[in-house]
Amino acid sequence: QQQVKQSPQSLIVQKGGISIINCAYENTAFDYFPWYQQFPGKGPALLIAIRPDVSEKKEGRFTISFNKSAKQFSLHIMDSQPGDSATYFCAARPNNNDMRFGAGTRLTVKP
Amino acid sequence: DAGITQSPRHKVTETGTPVTLRCHQTENHRYMYWYRQDPGHGLRLIHYSYGVKDTDKGEVSDGYSVSRSKTEDFLLTLESATSSQTSVYFCAISADRGRGYTFGSGTRLTVV
């Protein structure tokens, strides 16, 4: 069963716009929330991660927002570029256990 | 990807035949994982290993077995391939359980 629900399934954004991908989790024992980026023909690669004691983490144009009470976290991509077109996965790790992944969001950034 | 290699990259096999996929790492990481990726399901854990000869089942382990006789190699075997096992298989490694995964480039398996 999927413990991490990700939306939307696909997203189309114009160049320069903001891309927002949302995830919700069910298990309050999750203690680590990463986002992975996957290009066609490649394996997923860690993009950015956050711990539940932090409400926001920013790395360049990528920001994770975390709402512990709502059990939700989201990825914001500012000034989206065509090179950001990829599939994005959120994930969550139960305490010291194995990662649970969302179903993925295919992002297309149009020039 | 640096430090982790999967082979083969592509394979077509017939229903009922055994298939073995290989994951090789040069990072000396303790944890190794096998995932399958299917549209609408994301990445689902098949089996994982936390050391030589120490393996355990993930959420979709039926029809799969694994072996890890050396730190660097983690083999995934489909004992008798079925069409439902057509998928892209990814191996991942990590030094800490459940964190900092590095994924391989994947094996696209087609069972006809």
Side-chain angles (χ1 to χ4, degrees):
Chain A
Q1 70 255 22
Q2 197 168 56
Q3 298 177 1
V4 181
K5 296 185 178 178
Q6 183 172 346
S7 63
Q9 250 185 334
S10 62
L11 180 62
I12 299 174
V13 174
Q14 292 294 324
K15 179 183 175 181
I18 302 174
S19 303
I20 302 175
I21 305 171
N22 300 299
C23 283
Y25 61 97
E26 300 168 357
N27 187 338
T28 55
F30 289 141
D31 65 353
Y32 173 70
F33 301 86
W35 285 88
Y36 284 81
Q37 180 188 54
Q38 184 183 30
F39 293 107
K42 301 290 186 181
L46 180 64
L47 184 63
I48 186 173
I50 198 168
R51 299 182 68 89
D53 54 350
V54 176
S55 61
E56 185 175 281
K57 183 174 182 179
K58 184 176 181 180
E59 289 185 2
R61 295 185 293 109
F62 300 90
T63 300
I64 299 179
S65 296
F66 186 82
N67 186 329
K68 189 173 182 178
S69 61
K71 290 190 268 186
Q72 295 176 345
F73 58 111
S74 59
L75 176 70
H76 296 237
I77 306 174
M78 311 300 288
D79 187 27
S80 298
Q81 300 296 312
D84 296 330
S85 297
T87 299
Y88 292 82
F89 293 96
C90 63
R93 184 190 82 155
N95 286 338
N96 222 27
N97 215 317
D98 305 301
M99 206 90 73
R100 300 289 185 267
F101 286 87
T105 296
R106 179 173 290 183
L107 172 66
T108 302
V109 181
K110 295 206 164 183
Chain B
D1 294 78
I4 179 170
T5 306
Q6 289 185 236
S7 59
R9 288 299 310 275
H10 302 271
K11 185 168 183 68
V12 179
T13 191
E14 293 186 348
T15 298
T17 61
V19 177
T20 296
L21 309 182
R22 181 181 185 235
C23 179
H24 178 79
Q25 63 147 327
T26 58
E27 303 297 320
N28 201 35
H29 284 341
R30 177 181 178 185
Y31 297 96
M32 300 186 75
Y33 310 84
W34 277 107
Y35 284 87
R36 60 178 290 173
Q37 183 177 17
D38 304 289
H41 292 278
L43 293 151
R44 292 182 291 174
L45 183 64
I46 305 171
H47 281 279
Y48 63 97
S49 169
Y50 38 96
V52 173
K53 294 190 185 338
D54 284 327
T55 64
D56 208 343
K57 297 179 180 180
E59 61 179 310
V60 290
S61 60
D62 287 349
Y64 302 94
S65 63
V66 290
S67 66
R68 191 170 178 197
S69 58
K70 298 185 289 186
T71 298
E72 57 266 35
D73 290 324
F74 193 32
L75 304 180
L76 176 71
T77 297
L78 289 65
E79 303 290 347
S80 176
T82 67
S83 59
S84 65
Q85 294 176 311
T86 291
S87 186
V88 181
Y89 291 86
F90 286 99
C91 176
I93 61 174
S94 69
D96 297 321
R97 185 172 184 178
R99 292 191 62 172
Y101 286 13
T102 299
F103 283 86
S105 296
T107 294
R108 182 173 294 275
L109 176 68
T110 303
V111 183
V112 298

